[in-house]
Amino acid sequence: MASSSYTCIQDSATEKDRLLSSVASYGSRELLGVGTPRPTCLVGSEPEQKQEEEEEALRRKLKYFFMSPCDKYHAKGRKPFKLGLQLLKIVIVTVQLVLFGLSNQMVVTFKEENTAAFKHLFLKGYQDNVPQAVHTQKELYSHIHFAIDQYMALPQISLGRYAYVLGVGENGSALSLCQRYYRRGTIDPVNDTFDIDPHVINDCIGLNPPTYSSSPGNSDYKNFTLKFYKLINVTVDFQLKAINIQTIINNEIPDCYTFAITIVMDNMAHSGKVKISLQNQASIKECKDPNVSGHAENYAREFFDVLVAFVCLLSLLLCGRSIVRGIILQHEYVQFFKHKLGRSVSWGDRMEFINGWYLLLIVSDMFTIIGSFIKIGIESKNLSSYDICGILLGTSTLLVWVGVIRYLSFFQKYNVGKTHTHTHTHTNIDMSGQDLFSLFRYVSVMCLHHYTNISCSFPPSPLFSQILIVTLRAAFPNVIRFCCCAAAIYMGYCFCGWIVLGPYHAKFRSLSMVSECLFSLINGDDMFVTFAEMEQSGTLVWIFSQIYLYTFISLFIYMVLSLFIALITGAYDTIMAQTQEQVRVTDLHAFIAECADTPNSGKFRGPEGSSCSFLCCFDC
């Protein structure tokens, strides 16, 4: 009985157990077939003994390559510097994102509040969230005159401190009043005829504020005649300057803003309704000769950004080196099987040498490095690319938090494993993080079985209360571990949504609001409203918002939530038995398993005979 139990346990060992165990049943005898003797060329004389030593050395290198950082530390005594570097990167990248988010929030608030003020100042009868439109010629003239009069008297009526910008309008003026109309347009509904020349004429006049010009020509706008029968639109363009002094709270030099304001009166449809809107584009630049009492130059933020970029660059080099080492070791393994054993290596075994998590980290590092330098340019007032910087830093933080799943997989408790109650066979599925998509493939299988399999095993009890208690008791540990993994992805989406979509969506203004919005989406609430309220500020941000929302909804509703329900309902045991009938040992793991050396044996400390750069000290 004990021997049978031992055999079952060995047959269903996890991938990590196969790499670290000294079981003799896995090896070249299985590679060549059960009961098949080893080729005569591998036993006997001194050349054959040398080949066996080479085979054992390769097996040991492969075993070491697939170890976790902790096992590598026990094997060679080298500190897991790369693991520590990645954990440090999670902290500093998140801190960098939060600092950028706080600064970006003040920029967004200042721009939104000024836009609202401009609408109340320059649009006659404006009401919040109510579309503006006129239906008579007199009303249209009245709105044009109102906007220009308000502009001329702005210093006396505005609560904010604004300055005029000269030389940006028609003929070097400060304000331009323009009408666009067809070169020739005759419409006769009585006879159902029309004659239109589609070439557009742009007719403009320039105006200056009274403080800068006392010319009587400033009143010409009241004699400005509109050609209604062929009018396309009327625009009023001007610029204003302002200073955002609230950045002093964050110990930052205040920003100087230039607002390019355009009031559009759209008659393109010629439907009898002219729609009125105000558009505001803000540009940020460094103020001239800033002076804040008691404030000294502080380069702490720039230094921190450089530190983040340096850490990510080091991480990128180490991950790139690990991928190169994997490719070299893959080639050596393929050549050994080809020339020594006369066998080809499957693509599945080849791809195990390419760690998908390293590719994820490299992409994240590249985004962080580029975003950090853009952030430095923004803080030095040389750049104002807040959207691009937010997308890069937000996406990199999302990928970094998704990568936390890999570190959780180093703990055996977080690897998927369960005992099948019908056959009493201990069945394990290893999710060690070697394959980037292994988790998602596994979750997909779980969801498929959850919706197609209706047979679940429950304790034989007539009371539903006992079934509930037993089910919760059995599922609770796995549910908690599963929630830890899902929370890492959830936090990544929260940080990314706050930074990128916060300036353009009311539900993403703060981290708490983002979390509430995403939790509502998981439960199917306010989906259409969340999509519809996204402001059309720019093509890049809009495309990113669609990708962001669709991926989150698809991932959490169709995969994460489905697997969570599967854990609670008790279908977990049945699913595990159906998805793992018998563990198949691949050629690669069978070859590695012949190495009986444990990480503490000391045999991994010998020289490997290959030269390496200064980065070799970072071995894990």
Side-chain angles (χ1 to χ4, degrees):
M1 177 68 67
S3 175
S4 175
S5 176
Y6 175 79
T7 304
C8 293
I9 293 176
Q10 292 298 329
D11 289 341
S12 60
T14 63
E15 179 182 333
K16 176 180 176 182
D17 295 334
R18 293 198 303 273
L19 291 176
L20 299 180
S21 65
S22 58
V23 179
S25 61
Y26 296 110
S28 55
R29 291 184 63 85
E30 287 190 13
L31 295 177
L32 300 173
V34 179
T36 305
R38 295 170 64 89
T40 57
C41 62
L42 296 180
V43 281
S45 60
E46 186 173 331
E48 286 75 11
Q49 184 177 0
K50 183 179 180 180
Q51 290 181 1
E52 289 186 356
E53 293 177 355
E54 294 178 355
E55 179 181 341
E56 188 66 21
L58 176 60
R59 186 178 288 111
R60 186 176 290 113
K61 290 172 64 176
L62 291 169
K63 186 173 183 178
Y64 180 78
F65 178 79
F66 288 103
M67 286 181 182
S68 68
C70 297
D71 291 330
K72 289 182 178 180
Y73 169 72
H74 292 299
K76 286 192 174 183
R78 295 181 179 178
K79 304 297 188 297
F81 291 104
K82 191 165 66 178
L83 175 60
L85 185 70
Q86 297 302 327
L87 296 178
L88 172 65
K89 192 180 73 173
I90 294 174
V91 176
I92 61 177
V93 167
T94 304
V95 171
Q96 181 193 44
L97 186 78
V98 172
L99 293 176
F100 176 76
L102 295 176
S103 298
N104 191 31
Q105 195 68 36
M106 287 190 295
V107 172
V108 172
T109 302
F110 187 73
K111 178 183 176 181
E112 285 185 344
E113 292 178 353
N114 276 275
T115 301
F118 296 150
K119 290 180 179 179
H120 283 277
L121 284 171
F122 303 117
L123 299 183
K124 185 177 181 179
Y126 176 77
Q127 297 180 5
D128 292 331
N129 302 321
V130 177
Q132 295 289 109
V134 294
H135 302 85
T136 65
Q137 297 182 11
K138 182 179 179 180
E139 287 179 333
L140 182 57
Y141 278 118
S142 176
H143 277 73
I144 295 174
H145 296 164
F146 177 84
I148 297 177
D149 291 339
Q150 291 287 97
Y151 173 81
M152 297 298 180
L154 187 62
Q156 290 76 35
I157 63 175
S158 173
L159 292 176
R161 180 64 175 172
Y162 299 108
Y164 297 113
V165 179
L166 303 178
V168 295
E170 184 72 13
N171 298 323
S173 61
L175 180 145
S176 297
L177 172 60
C178 301
Q179 63 170 328
R180 297 174 66 247
Y181 54 87
Y182 297 114
R183 178 186 296 176
R184 184 180 68 255
T186 302
I187 302 176
D188 187 4
V190 176
N191 299 320
D192 296 329
T193 60
F194 62 89
D195 180 17
I196 295 177
D197 185 347
H199 293 87
V200 176
I201 303 297
N202 201 14
D203 181 17
C204 298
I205 61 172
L207 303 173
N208 285 314
T211 55
Y212 296 94
S213 175
S214 58
S215 172
N218 278 346
S219 61
D220 289 345
Y221 70 92
K222 294 188 177 179
N223 299 322
F224 191 69
T225 304
L226 301 178
K227 306 180 186 302
F228 289 102
Y229 60 96
K230 53 183 178 181
L231 180 67
I232 299 176
N233 61 36
V234 179
T235 59
V236 180
D237 298 278
F238 56 90
Q239 294 185 11
L240 298 174
K241 286 186 176 182
I243 300 177
N244 182 12
I245 62 173
Q246 65 175 335
T247 56
I248 299 177
I249 299 174
N250 287 353
N251 199 28
E252 297 180 14
I253 297 295
D255 296 324
C256 289
Y257 287 74
T258 300
F259 297 107
I261 302 167
T262 302
I263 301 174
V264 180
M265 304 173 187
D266 186 10
N267 189 45
M268 185 174 294
H270 283 265
S271 60
K273 176 182 178 180
V274 176
K275 292 173 288 186
I276 302 176
S277 62
L278 185 146
Q279 302 169 1
N280 178 29
Q281 294 293 330
S283 60
I284 306 172
K285 64 180 180 179
E286 185 178 8
C287 296
K288 299 178 181 178
D289 300 326
N291 183 18
V292 181
S293 300
H295 181 275
E297 288 292 336
N298 188 355
Y299 297 100
R301 287 178 178 266
E302 287 80 359
F303 175 78
F304 182 74
D305 293 331
V306 173
L307 175 63
V308 173
F310 175 77
V311 171
C312 291
L313 178 62
L314 186 58
S315 170
L316 188 149
L317 294 176
L318 293 176
C319 293
R321 186 201 64 171
S322 298
I323 291 179
V324 172
R325 283 185 170 183
I327 295 175
I328 295 175
L329 188 58
Q330 178 208 74
H331 179 73
E332 184 178 352
Y333 172 72
V334 171
Q335 293 301 316
F336 176 83
F337 257 56
K338 181 178 181 181
H339 297 296
K340 301 297 183 181
L341 302 179
R343 299 182 57 180
S344 61
V345 179
S346 65
W347 278 104
D349 283 352
R350 289 171 184 253
M351 293 306 297
E352 288 202 37
F353 290 89
I354 309 298
N355 195 323
W357 291 110
Y358 289 152
L359 298 177
L360 182 78
L361 293 175
I362 288 176
V363 174
S364 173
D365 292 335
M366 293 176 60
F367 284 174
T368 304
I369 293 172
I370 298 173
S372 297
F373 284 108
I374 295 178
K375 183 173 180 287
I376 293 174
I378 291 174
E379 291 173 347
S380 61
K381 313 307 176 187
N382 296 320
L383 296 174
S384 59
S385 305
Y386 279 91
D387 290 343
I388 298 177
C389 184
I391 290 175
L392 291 174
L393 294 182
T395 305
S396 66
T397 306
L398 171 60
L399 297 179
V400 165
W401 278 90
V402 170
V404 172
I405 298 176
R406 175 175 180 259
Y407 308 122
L408 292 177
S409 69
F410 294 153
F411 299 93
Q412 187 62 34
K413 291 289 187 180
Y414 286 86
N415 289 327
V416 181
K418 194 73 176 176
T419 302
H420 190 278
T421 57
H422 296 292
T423 61
H424 304 285
T425 303
H426 189 77
T427 306
N428 289 317
I429 300 175
D430 183 42
M431 303 288 287
S432 57
Q434 294 295 330
D435 182 7
L436 173 62
F437 303 102
S438 59
L439 174 65
F440 301 104
R441 291 200 304 265
Y442 174 75
V443 173
S444 300
V445 174
M446 296 297 102
C447 298
L448 178 62
H449 282 281
H450 171 64
Y451 286 111
T452 57
N453 178 42
I454 59 174
S455 61
C456 300
S457 299
F458 292 105
S461 173
L463 299 178
F464 287 100
S465 60
Q466 295 182 6
I467 294 177
L468 176 62
I469 294 173
V470 173
T471 301
L472 292 178
R473 182 187 304 168
F476 184 75
N478 290 327
V479 167
I480 295 300
R481 300 184 190 108
F482 177 77
C483 288
C484 291
C485 298
I489 305 177
Y490 188 82
M491 288 300 299
Y493 270 96
C494 286
F495 283 116
C496 182
W498 173 47
I499 293 300
V500 181
L501 305 184
Y504 309 104
H505 203 297
K507 294 185 177 182
F508 291 82
R509 288 290 189 263
S510 64
L511 274 175
S512 60
M513 295 179 67
V514 174
S515 180
E516 295 167 2
C517 177
L518 295 183
F519 190 79
S520 298
L521 290 177
I522 293 177
N523 293 278
D525 297 336
D526 294 336
M527 283 195 181
F528 176 77
V529 176
T530 303
F531 279 94
E533 289 185 358
M534 183 65 197
E535 298 178 10
Q536 295 285 346
S537 59
T539 304
L540 182 61
V541 176
W542 184 84
I543 293 176
F544 182 88
S545 68
Q546 301 303 298
I547 297 175
Y548 173 88
L549 292 174
Y550 277 114
T551 55
F552 177 83
I553 293 172
S554 301
L555 176 63
F556 274 83
I557 291 184
Y558 302 128
M559 299 179 70
V560 175
L561 190 59
S562 297
L563 184 54
F564 183 85
I565 295 173
L567 291 173
I568 294 293
T569 56
Y572 185 76
D573 291 340
T574 305
I575 294 170
M576 300 300 291
Q578 293 177 350
T579 54
Q580 286 290 311
E581 296 178 357
Q582 184 177 359
V583 177
R584 176 185 175 274
V585 180
T586 64
D587 293 342
L588 171 64
H589 298 304
F591 181 79
I592 298 175
E594 282 202 3
C595 178
D597 301 324
T598 63
N600 298 323
S601 64
K603 295 185 179 181
F604 294 92
R605 300 176 182 269
E608 298 184 359
S610 61
S611 60
C612 59
S613 63
F614 73 96
L615 293 175
C616 287
C617 59
F618 304 100
D619 192 61
C620 294

